[in-house]
Amino acid sequence: MSATPVPAQAATSAAAPVPTTTNSTAPSATTAGPPPVADQGAPMPAPAPTVVDTNALNSALRALKLSGMLDTLDARLAQARAGELGHLEFLQVLCHDEIARRDAAAIDRRTRRARFEQTLTLEGFDFTANPKLPAAQIRDLAALRWLAAGESVILYGPVGVGKTHIAHALGHQAVRAGADVRFIKTSRALAELAGGHADGTWTRRLRELARPAVLILDDFAMRELTAVQADDLYELITERAGRSVIMTSNRTPIDWYPLFPNPVVAESLLDRLINNSHQLFMNGASYRPHRRPGRVTDQDTTTTG
């Protein structure tokens, strides 16, 4: 007699091991998969706002001497919270704020060291007041190519045409460009050097006048020089070799030679100075009425100085 065949499914069930115990530590089938997905129709909760400890940040900026960032931090944070600045833009703008503050502070320091008599700038000069002035040449000098080349500037002409204003203005341009400037009346410079002869500080005083990148000698060649004054001027110009000088004078450079008691000193000094300078003859009507207190220009702008 033949045996009765066993169905394949039954055979398989019989062969499979049957667990006798349940491992209580095994993970549940319900927790092994990915987290449940939120209902597509329900709104997602808003992320919690990031809390910035501005007090700690302020202290850190002060310690790093970044007060430019500190001054504008609140305004920049407001822009960032409003979505106007991304993370990189926020940092970049803060860095620019610090650079701008340092640049402004440096200009202020150099301006104080320059000892300008007044705040006279090229923007504040009314070129329309005197059509005879070499406006194109003055604006070309404002580009400061002469400063980079170590050349000098001589502004000469009659009284009151604006020579001192332009000298101040070129000095301010140099300050903005990062150069050290010193403004001084020529008579005052000679007096300072004469005082150095009296108290033994002549060398120190000479070096102080020779140090700046630009020395402005206002009202040069007003009168005849003594032998000591001529020698002091010679030493000053020689010491400043390679550095720029701006001179204003009522006399033409050719008329400076007879003011020196020693022709050899005059030739040695003036030949070196005049042949390395840009010379502008400023002529025309006096500019001083345009600086009268309370006067308003045709453009409704106030001209200082």
Side-chain angles (χ1 to χ4, degrees):
M1 178 183 291
S2 60
T4 304
V6 179
Q9 183 178 0
T12 303
S13 301
V18 179
T20 57
T21 59
T22 302
N23 187 356
S24 60
T25 61
S28 170
T30 60
T31 61
V37 179
D39 185 1
Q40 297 295 325
M44 295 295 291
T50 303
V51 179
V52 179
D53 185 357
T54 56
N55 290 331
L57 182 56
N58 291 349
S59 299
L61 292 177
R62 288 193 184 93
L64 292 171
K65 302 186 185 303
L66 298 174
S67 59
M69 292 185 179
L70 186 61
D71 292 341
T72 60
L73 178 61
D74 290 340
R76 300 311 184 192
L77 283 174
Q79 287 181 288
R81 293 187 182 109
E84 298 174 11
L85 297 174
H87 295 88
L88 185 59
E89 292 173 316
F90 174 75
L91 179 59
Q92 187 176 31
V93 170
L94 275 181
C95 290
H96 287 167
D97 292 339
E98 177 61 28
I99 292 171
R101 182 198 68 83
R102 294 191 180 192
D103 286 346
I107 289 175
D108 184 62
R109 287 194 300 271
R110 290 194 297 271
T111 300
R112 290 198 304 270
R113 287 199 299 264
R115 304 182 192 179
F116 293 118
E117 291 182 330
Q118 303 175 66
T119 304
L120 303 173
T121 63
L122 204 60
E123 297 85 353
F125 190 79
D126 183 10
F127 285 95
T128 63
N130 187 355
K132 292 185 177 181
L133 290 179
Q137 290 177 275
I138 293 172
R139 291 191 173 97
D140 185 63
L141 289 176
L144 303 181
R145 286 183 287 270
W146 52 272
L147 175 58
E151 298 166 344
S152 297
V153 176
I154 296 175
L155 308 169
Y156 67 96
V159 175
V161 292
K163 301 184 299 294
T164 297
H165 188 133
I166 297 302
H168 273 87
L170 294 177
H172 275 287
Q173 290 290 108
V175 164
R176 295 172 190 173
D180 284 328
V181 178
R182 174 70 190 279
F183 177 94
I184 190 170
K185 295 288 186 184
T186 303
S187 58
R188 177 64 182 168
L190 293 174
E192 285 194 11
L193 293 174
H197 289 296
D199 62 11
T201 61
W202 183 85
T203 301
R204 177 180 61 79
R205 297 185 188 211
L206 178 69
R207 288 175 180 170
E208 287 178 357
L209 290 173
R211 185 179 300 115
V214 180
L215 176 65
I216 303 175
L217 291 174
D218 194 31
D219 289 337
F220 185 79
M222 289 285 288
R223 57 183 65 87
E224 293 183 1
L225 301 170
T226 66
V228 174
Q229 288 174 332
D231 288 343
D232 284 347
L233 272 176
Y234 175 83
E235 294 295 337
L236 176 58
I237 299 303
T238 302
E239 187 74 14
R240 288 190 55 79
R243 297 183 180 92
S244 300
V245 179
I246 299 176
M247 290 180 164
T248 71
S249 179
N250 297 333
R251 302 174 188 262
T252 62
I254 197 67
D255 292 333
W256 294 353
Y257 289 86
L259 303 178
F260 287 76
N262 187 331
V264 176
V265 174
E267 186 70 28
S268 179
L269 167 62
L270 297 179
D271 182 69
R272 180 179 308 177
L273 180 64
I274 293 173
N275 291 325
N276 190 40
S277 65
H278 300 263
Q279 301 174 31
L280 270 71
F281 176 51
M282 299 180 62
N283 197 12
S286 176
Y287 188 76
R288 287 175 181 168
H290 295 266
R291 297 160 44 198
R292 207 164 32 233
R295 182 185 181 277
V296 179
T297 66
D298 295 337
Q299 295 87 359
D300 290 329
T301 58
T302 301
T303 302
T304 59

